[in-house]
Amino acid sequence: MKASIFSYVLFLIFTITTQSIFIFTTTNTASAAEVVVRDSTGKKVLNNVRYHVAPVAKGGSIKLTDTINKKKVCPFDVVHDPKDNVGGEFMFTIITNGVVKENYLKTERILGIDSGYPKGACTESTFWTINDAEAKAPPANLITTGGGFDTDLTCFQVVEHPKPTNKNSYMLQHCPSFCGAGPSTCFNISLSSYQGVNRLSTVGATPFEFVFHKIAS
Ligand SMILES: *[C@@H]1O[C@H](CO)[C@@H](O)[C@H](O)[C@H]1NC(C)=O
């Protein structure tokens, strides 16, 4: 009798210890990859707040447009404008399923990106979306708008650049399976020209390295 109580207590201690080691290691690895994102001046980037976004290498900025090669488009497209140093206002919102409210944007967290542009006649949503990340050629793999929050097509994450050329610069990845169904890999977003316009897409060898700029108030 005594022996069996003793072994039961031993078993309990063993279970609790291994469980806490398990929880400790899993939470540790999860938080190790998550880093608070910084803007170009080194300030923490706020979650769910509008910022300008600019590529590091090419100058100019990212903006939303309703016109491509003199033709109106709806939903709107996300383009690089080499001559515009301000660009559009983009809101990165971490998907938390309402469990924890995040004050700051973090790397390696799934998020939606909303352009919130005045829509006019175009009533499509302004969430960044990629219709077919695996498409070998544009336009199916271009970032446009028109998606919903927290779906596979609109699922992105900000990641640290392995070899940043600038302080506080990041890369963007599209990870469909992190939010829903779809290819279970993350696609690097890069900047390349399509029909004479620089666009963000899942094609291209050099990842789009960018910085966040606070919006002048
Ligand atoms: C994404 O870009 C990084 C940095 O250039 C590179 O190391 C990595 O292999 C790329 N991933 C894919 C899937 O192309």
Side-chain angles (χ1 to χ4, degrees):
M1 191 68 181
K2 259 195 178 157
S4 70
I5 288 172
F6 180 70
S7 51
Y8 179 67
V9 169
L10 260 190
F11 171 76
L12 267 187
I13 290 168
F14 173 78
T15 318
I16 291 164
T17 315
T18 46
Q19 288 243 345
S20 30
I21 287 169
F22 175 73
I23 289 163
F24 179 76
T25 44
T26 45
T27 45
N28 246 21
T29 41
S31 59
E34 283 177 24
V35 175
V36 172
V37 172
R38 304 270 172 174
D39 71 13
S40 55
T41 68
K43 289 212 175 72
K44 290 176 179 174
V45 170
L46 294 163
N47 179 39
N48 204 35
V49 168
R50 298 185 186 290
Y51 281 82
H52 299 299
V53 167
V56 167
K58 299 190 177 195
S61 62
I62 300 300
K63 69 175 192 185
L64 203 64
T65 186
D66 65 351
T67 313
I68 296 273
N69 294 326
K70 294 183 183 140
K71 282 202 193 102
K72 289 279 181 204
V73 291
C74 176
F76 297 147
D77 281 338
V78 180
V79 298
H80 169 232
D81 187 340
K83 296 194 194 89
D84 179 358
N85 285 320
V86 180
E89 299 184 357
F90 303 106
M91 189 161 81
F92 290 60
T93 304
I94 293 177
I95 298 165
T96 60
N97 297 324
V99 181
V100 196
K101 192 187 165 289
E102 295 286 354
N103 292 324
Y104 299 107
L105 199 65
K106 288 175 178 164
T107 60
E108 315 265 339
R109 290 292 297 271
I110 51 166
L111 47 86
I113 305 167
D114 186 11
S115 323
Y117 196 76
K119 292 189 226 177
C122 180
T123 55
E124 297 275 353
S125 109
T126 48
F127 272 100
W128 288 20
T129 187
I130 297 181
N131 284 328
D132 183 1
E134 288 180 307
K136 292 278 177 286
N141 55 21
L142 296 176
I143 293 182
T144 65
T145 60
F149 185 62
D150 194 6
T151 76
D152 53 336
L153 301 183
T154 57
C155 197
F156 293 91
Q157 67 176 358
V158 173
V159 294
E160 290 188 299
H161 197 289
K163 290 180 193 145
T165 61
N166 200 74
K167 220 173 163 222
N168 305 316
S169 68
Y170 300 90
M171 297 174 17
L172 191 63
Q173 287 185 336
H174 173 52
C175 309
S177 66
F178 290 4
C179 299
S184 58
T185 177
C186 287
F187 300 85
N188 284 341
I189 298 300
S190 54
L191 199 55
S192 55
S193 179
Y194 171 63
Q195 294 184 339
V197 183
N198 276 338
R199 307 281 298 264
L200 291 171
S201 75
T202 56
V203 283
T206 314
F208 167 59
E209 188 184 352
F210 69 100
V211 286
F212 289 88
H213 292 301
K214 197 167 178 257
I215 292 174
S217 49

